[in-house]
Amino acid sequence: MPGVPKQPIVIIGGGISGLMAARTLVEAGEEQVVVLDKGRSGGGRLATRRIGDVAFDHGAQYFTVRTSEFMAYVEEWKKNGWVTEWFGAPHVRYRADGGMNRLTRHLAEPLDICVRVRVTSVEAEPNGWLLHWVSEEQEYVPQTYDEVMPEDIYDPGNKANIRARALIVTAPPPQALYLLKQGGVQVDEEQASKLRAVSYLPCLAALLTLDGPSAVPAPGYIRAKDPDEPVQLVVDNYQKGISAKPALTVYACGKWSRAHFAQADEDILRQLLQEAQVWRGGSAIVDAQLKRWRFSLAETVYPGRFAEVAHNAPLLVAGDSFISPKDEAQHARVESAVLSGIAAAKRLLELL
Ligand SMILES: Cc1cc2nc3c(=O)[nH]c(=O)nc-3n(C[C@H](O)[C@H](O)[C@H](O)COP(=O)(O)OP(=O)(O)OC[C@H]3O[C@@H](n4cnc5c(N)ncnc54)[C@H](O)[C@@H]3O)c2cc1C
């Protein structure tokens, strides 16, 4: 109908998967593509915290490249000065200039991205999807399929709706399923059970500002040999080149994080500081903060680059845990998130 604007394609999640999906759609000529993210900025698990002239990467520290498809993008990002090689072989670890979140900011530049928007349910309509949302500055709402407490959900009323003609959901599958369940969207049982099977490890990370150099060896990265060692990874963000002052990110392993997740921040920090004290060398800690990731790395993944939920209008679920059976690594990572977002967008273009 002339004069009536088309409803947008909406992407829930402005992590790297959602951003790459949106860029793929825009590059293919789609004009109305909107990315929604509940965070203060996009980027999701490509996260950088800045406190004055101190900076911490506290989600992914780097990414690796195993496919020529991803390498084509990385070559372009290298040329743009967005990423550089950090260390490692045979799979080089790439870091982002200025912090990992900066990469997603560059990727988001040409896109229409709305932040602090938490989608609370997705409902099917005859020709599209109806999304309810709240501003992240308002009440807490449950986040996962397993955390259903309908009485707690803040209902902003009918005004807070977004209509979409097609949807890509890149929130981790436990959260994606929750949104569909809230809106009464039926997912066929085979698909639903594959989505339900995806699970994530939590991760607790301490962000420590030091008054002098750390004892972390060059190039600012030390990983435990035993995957169950409480402190799994320590990164010196100064040596990494993103912080003006010595600043350590100390990651607990999944097992330790799960066992300690319910404890108070100060108790977790005290124990992590003790476990990691050798890495601060003789320097004192001038500030300590905690970051809690409920979803860090997927323990079990979805067998395929995206999931398609059959309905009147297209709905695809994508993200780092959607991995092709041909993927040689078979674990969730930045590369799998990128490839999933792109594959979901290409499939959507076929469906539209
Ligand atoms: C501690 C940690 C260390 C890691 N280390 C590495 C590493 O070294 N190398 C590597 O390759 N990978 C690493 N990873 C994994 C990597 O960060 C992820 O695989 C990748 O960033 C996932 O991207 P994504 O877009 O799929 O998901 P995300 O980045 O999680 O994006 C999903 C987005 O959806 C948004 N969202 C969720 N629900 C809603 C909602 N209801 N409404 C609106 N928005 C919503 C979230 O705010 C988020 O921004 C690490 C992750 C963590 C947490």
Side-chain angles (χ1 to χ4, degrees), residues 13 15-17 37-38 44-45 59-60 62 117 119 171 296 320 333-334:
I16 198 158
S17 192
D37 198 286
K38 65 183 165 69
R45 281 170 278 162
Y62 59 79
V117 171
V119 178
S296 68
D320 65 335
R333 58 198 194 278
V334 171

Side-chain angles (χ1 to χ4, degrees), residues 1 19 52 101 109 185 213 216 220 245 261 269 288-289 329 335 341:
M1 213 193 308
L19 296 175
N101 188 260
E109 258 159 36
V185 174
V216 176
K245 289 187 182 149
F261 210 82
L269 277 172
Q289 300 191 11
E335 181 173 29

Side-chain angles (χ1 to χ4, degrees), residues 1-220:
M1 213 193 308
V4 178
K6 269 206 235 167
Q7 288 169 1
I9 298 171
V10 170
I11 296 179
I12 302 178
I16 198 158
S17 192
L19 296 175
M20 292 305 288
R23 287 174 69 98
T24 305
L25 292 166
V26 169
E27 279 159 21
E30 289 297 335
E31 282 171 9
Q32 282 176 290
V33 180
V34 177
V35 181
L36 306 176
D37 198 286
K38 65 183 165 69
R40 263 182 298 176
S41 67
R45 281 170 278 162
L46 291 186
T48 308
R49 188 175 296 177
R50 292 189 176 79
I51 310 164
D53 52 0
V54 178
F56 301 86
D57 275 336
H58 61 285
Q61 283 291 343
Y62 59 79
F63 63 82
T64 48
V65 184
R66 286 180 172 79
T67 59
S68 53
E69 186 181 356
F70 185 38
M71 188 48 107
Y73 290 94
V74 175
E75 289 296 348
E76 191 189 315
W77 300 348
K78 271 167 72 177
K79 249 187 253 153
N80 295 345
W82 297 352
V83 301
T84 48
E85 295 179 4
W86 185 14
F87 70 96
H91 300 297
V92 171
R93 270 83 160 172
Y94 289 87
R95 64 186 154 189
D97 185 49
M100 296 300 273
N101 188 260
R102 186 79 55 87
L103 170 62
T104 53
R105 285 181 183 230
H106 289 305
L107 293 172
E109 258 159 36
L111 301 173
D112 187 356
I113 172 164
C114 307
V115 294
R116 292 180 189 256
V117 171
R118 182 193 288 270
V119 178
T120 55
S121 72
V122 170
E123 277 175 39
E125 294 203 306
N127 298 310
W129 302 98
L130 177 67
L131 278 60
H132 292 273
W133 63 277
V134 293
S135 158
E136 190 50 31
E137 280 153 58
Q138 295 174 26
E139 284 183 37
Y140 175 75
V141 287
Q143 294 181 50
T144 75
Y145 182 75
D146 300 322
E147 201 190 352
V148 182
M149 296 179 288
E151 66 279 9
D152 288 344
I153 296 171
Y154 172 68
D155 178 4
N158 290 332
K159 284 192 192 128
N161 289 340
I162 295 171
R163 287 197 153 77
R165 71 190 154 104
L167 198 56
I168 299 180
V169 186
T170 65
Q175 294 176 313
L177 274 173
Y178 171 75
L179 297 180
L180 301 184
K181 184 170 191 281
Q182 283 309 113
V185 174
Q186 299 293 325
V187 181
D188 82 67
E189 191 39 44
E190 195 192 330
Q191 186 71 282
S193 71
K194 282 196 276 181
L195 288 166
R196 258 189 248 114
V198 177
S199 67
Y200 280 80
L201 286 165
C203 178
L204 293 166
L207 281 50
L208 312 178
T209 307
L210 304 182
D211 68 354
S214 78
V216 176

